[in-house]
Amino acid sequence: MADLNSEMGDVQSELDEVRTLLRTELPELFEFDVVVGNISYNANNNSVSATVEPSSEARSQLSDELGGVAVSTEGRLEFEFGFTPK
């Protein structure tokens, strides 16, 4: 049982590292401020899903970038990242 507990602890530690990495790197993909929301692990697909939503400042940033046009920032994006075997 100690081996299973140890392995589960290792998996949780690796998932925590992935979550931290996604919270750091996903916002860098956008030209405007975003907030990384829910990050969840899917054991059936061996993948991690993350949601990204525009921040409260995104609308004005995009408006400035596009020359002052009105911008709507409704909704969110969802990304799914699959793990590959080592």
Side-chain angles (χ1 to χ4, degrees):
M1 190 63 146
D3 288 335
L4 179 59
N5 286 337
S6 176
E7 285 185 41
M8 292 300 289
D10 291 345
V11 169
Q12 186 61 48
S13 177
E14 288 179 23
L15 288 174
D16 289 343
E17 289 176 23
V18 169
R19 285 184 179 100
T20 300
L21 183 66
L22 289 174
R23 289 198 186 282
T24 302
E25 292 194 6
L26 275 177
E28 300 296 322
L29 298 175
F30 298 89
E31 299 276 330
F32 51 91
D33 291 338
V34 296
V35 175
V36 178
N38 187 38
I39 299 175
S40 59
Y41 175 66
N42 183 333
N44 293 333
N45 293 341
N46 195 28
S47 64
V48 172
S49 295
T51 59
V52 177
E53 298 180 35
S55 74
S56 59
E57 296 295 318
R59 191 174 322 159
S60 63
Q61 290 172 338
L62 289 169
S63 179
D64 291 346
E65 181 78 22
L66 298 172
V69 299
V71 175
S72 174
T73 56
E74 303 291 323
R76 67 178 188 210
L77 298 170
E78 185 170 331
F79 295 91
E80 184 173 352
F81 301 93
F83 291 103
T84 56
K86 290 183 180 180

